[in-house]
C-alpha cells in the first residue's frame, strides 16, 4: 500500500496485465504513474480516443496514452475500455510504420509492448473491438514518448544467461539507486518469472536496491528458469526512471542439499533425495559458534587466505591459507578444508564459526557443489541473522512474502 502523505498525486485504479509466473499469475502494471514535478505524463488526461464507428454495437476507447499526449514514459502500456466486444485486438506502430510486439492482458483492458519504447519517438495505437454483430469499432491514439531523461537508474541481474545453479538459489535483481517504497509495487509488476516445470514463488525486497525471487520450496532439480524485467523507462519518483529491460535464461542443477547436525558433528549430503556422503565436521567453538539456520553457497574459492587481524586484533587475529573455501555468510562463515583440526572433526568444535572438514572431504565436496546449493546447520548456540548472506530460506514462505510490495493474495 502507498502512503497518503501527498507527495504523489492520487492515481486512477490500476489496470493490470497478467502474465504466467511459475504455477500462478503475476500482474504487470498496465498504466504509468506520475509524481512530484517530474516532466512527463501518462497520456491519460482528457482527450482519450473514442470509437470511430458509432453505428457498431461494440465500442472502444483508448484511455492512455491519450491522443496527442506528449512526454509519455517509455514504459507506457496501452490502456483502453471496450463495451459489447467479443473480440479485441491492439496494434502499436512507430511513425515509420514499424509494428511493435506486445501482449494483451488476460482481462483485455491493457496491452504492454515487449520492450521499452524509443525515447522521443512517436507512436500510433489502434484498438479494434468486434461485437457479436460482426462489426468492428476502432479507436486510435497518436502520442509522443518523452526525451531520454538525465536521471536513469541501472537494472542488473546477479545471474546471467546459461548459468547453472543450486536448488536454493534466489533470483537476484539490483538497482543502481534506492527504489522509494511507494514505487516498489510498480517495479515488481514489471518482473516476470516463468519456469519449466511450473513452481509458485514470489519477489521480496531484501533492501531498497535489491529484490529476490524464490519459490515456496527449493527449486525442483533441473528446472529451466526464465525471467524478464520489463523496466526500461519506468518512473520511480523524484524524476528518476529505470534505464533498461533485461532477460535471463538459466538452469537449476541437481538437488544437492547439505545438512549439519551439531549434536553428531556430521554433515549429511544428499543428491536428488539420496544420501551420497556423510562427512565429519568441526563447528565453531562456544566463544565463536557457527550459525544455525539455512544458508546458501555464495561463492567458491579453491585457494584463499583468511586474514582476521583487522577484525580480531593482533592478539587473536590470524592469517591462514585456506583450501576449498565455500562462503555461506557475509560475516565470514565458510565450509572449508581444515587439516589442522582433522583430529577433532566429528567430536569437538574448535573453529571460529566455519564448518571445518578434512582436506579429502573438502576437495570432494568442492567438486560436488554449485553456487546456490543450500546448507542447513542445526543445534548451535547462535541463530543465523537474516541478511547475513543469502538468507532467503531462513524464513517461512509466509514471512518471505511479507517483504513483497504486492500481497501474495493479490498475485
Amino acid at each position: 500500500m502507498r502512503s497518503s502523505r501527498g507527495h504523489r498525486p492520487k492515481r486512477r485504479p490500476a489496470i493490470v496485465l497478467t502474465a504466467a509466473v511459475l504455477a500462478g499469475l503475476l500482474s504487470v502494471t498496465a498504466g504509468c504513474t506520475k509524481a512530484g514535478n517530474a516532466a512527463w505524463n501518462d497520456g491519460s488526461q482528457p482527450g482519450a480516443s473514442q470509437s470511430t464507428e458509432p453505428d457498431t454495437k461494440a465500442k472502444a476507447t483508448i484511455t492512455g496514452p491519450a491522443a496527442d499526449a506528449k512526454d509519455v514514459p517509455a514504459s507506457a502500456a496501452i490502456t483502453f475500455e471496450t463495451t459489447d466486444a467479443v473480440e479485441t485486438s491492439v496494434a502499436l506502430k512507430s511513425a515509420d510504420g514499424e509494428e511493435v510486439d506486445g501482449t494483451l492482458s488476460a482481462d483485455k483492458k491493457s496491452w504492454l509492448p515487449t520492450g521499452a519504447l524509443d525515447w522521443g519517438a512517436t507512436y500510433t495505437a489502434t484498438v479494434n473491438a468486434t461485437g457479436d454483430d460482426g462489426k468492428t469499432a476502432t479507436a486510435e491514439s497518436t502520442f509522443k514518448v518523452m526525451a531520454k531523461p538525465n536521471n536513469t537508474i541501472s537494472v542488473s541481474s546477479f545471474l546471467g544467461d546459461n548459468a547453472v545453479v543450486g536448488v536454493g538459489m534466489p533470483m537476484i535483481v539490483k538497482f543502481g539507486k534506492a527504489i522509494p517504497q511507494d514505487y516498489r509495487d510498480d517495479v515488481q509488476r514489471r518482473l516476470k518469472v516463468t519456469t519449466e516445470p511450473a513452481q509458485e514463488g514470489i519477489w521480496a525486497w531484501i533492501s531498497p536496491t535489491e529484490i529476490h525471487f524464490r519459490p515456496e520450496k527449493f527449486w525442483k532439480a533441473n528446472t529451466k528458469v526464465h525471467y524478464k524485467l520489463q523496466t526500461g523507462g519506468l518512473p520511480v519518483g523524484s524524476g528518476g526512471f529505470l534505464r533498461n529491460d533485461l532477460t535471463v535464461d538459466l538452469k537449476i542443477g541437481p538437488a544437492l542439499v547439505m545438512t549439519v547436525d551439531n549434536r553428531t558433528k556430521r554433515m549429511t549430503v544428499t543428491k536428488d533425495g539420496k544420501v551420497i556422503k556423510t562427512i565429519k565436521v568441526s563447528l565453531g567453538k562456544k566463544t565463536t559458534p557457527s550459525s544455525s539456520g539455512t544458508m546458501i553457497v555464495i561463492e567458491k574459492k579453491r585457494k584463499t587466505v583468511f586474514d582476521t587481524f583487522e577484525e580480531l586484533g593482533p592478539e587473536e587475529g590470524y592469517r591462514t591459507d585456506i583450501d576449498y573455501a565455500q562462503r555461506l555468510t557475509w560475516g565470514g562463515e565458510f565450509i572449508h578444508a581444515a587439516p589442522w583440526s582433522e583430529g577433532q572433526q566429528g567430536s569437538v568444535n574448535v573453529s571460529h564459526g566455519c564448518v571445518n572438514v578434512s582436506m579429502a572431504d573438502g576437495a570432494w565436496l568442492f567438486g560436488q557443489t554449485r553456487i546456490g546449493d543450500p546448507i542447513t546447520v542445526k543445534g548451535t548456540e547462535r541463530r543465523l541473522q537474516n541478511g547475513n548472506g543469502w538468507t532467503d530460506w531462513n524464513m517461512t514462505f509466509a514471512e518471505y512474502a511479507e517483504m513483497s510490495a504486492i500481497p501474495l493474495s493479490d498475485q
Side-chain angles (χ1 to χ4, degrees), residues 25 29 52 67 94 107 112 114 135 159 166 169 190 217 243-244 276 309 316:
L25 297 176
T29 301
T52 57
S94 64
D107 62 5
L112 186 68
T114 55
K135 296 182 178 180
L159 296 172
M169 185 69 206
R190 293 296 180 104
K217 299 178 181 179
R243 184 178 303 161
N244 55 287
I276 58 173
F309 280 107
E316 296 186 20

Side-chain angles (χ1 to χ4, degrees), residues 118-149:
D118 293 336
W119 301 112
T122 298
Y123 293 89
T124 297
T126 304
V127 175
N128 293 312
T130 303
D132 57 13
D133 59 357
K135 296 182 178 180
T136 300
T138 299
E140 277 195 355
S141 173
T142 298
F143 60 91
K144 186 173 183 179
V145 177
M146 65 185 292
K148 185 175 181 178

Side-chain angles (χ1 to χ4, degrees), residues 66-130:
D68 301 320
K70 302 183 187 306
D71 293 328
V72 174
S75 62
I78 309 304
T79 61
F80 54 90
E81 296 176 355
T82 62
T83 55
D84 297 323
V86 295
E87 184 177 343
T88 303
S89 64
V90 180
L92 182 66
K93 293 184 178 180
S94 64
D96 60 6
E98 184 176 354
E99 192 159 347
V100 177
D101 292 333
T103 304
L104 184 67
S105 64
D107 62 5
K108 297 181 180 179
K109 292 183 178 181
S110 57
W111 183 93
L112 186 68
T114 55
L117 301 178
D118 293 336
W119 301 112
T122 298
Y123 293 89
T124 297
T126 304
V127 175
N128 293 312
T130 303

Side-chain angles (χ1 to χ4, degrees), residues 20 55 86 113 115 127 149 266 315 366 375 383:
D55 59 335
V86 295
V127 175
R266 298 289 192 279
E315 293 185 2
F366 196 88
I375 175 173
R383 296 187 62 181

Side-chain angles (χ1 to χ4, degrees), residues 145-166:
V145 177
M146 65 185 292
K148 185 175 181 178
N150 294 325
N151 185 12
T152 60
I153 300 165
S154 64
V155 182
S156 61
S157 168
F158 177 83
L159 296 172
D161 285 337
N162 302 316
V164 181
V165 294

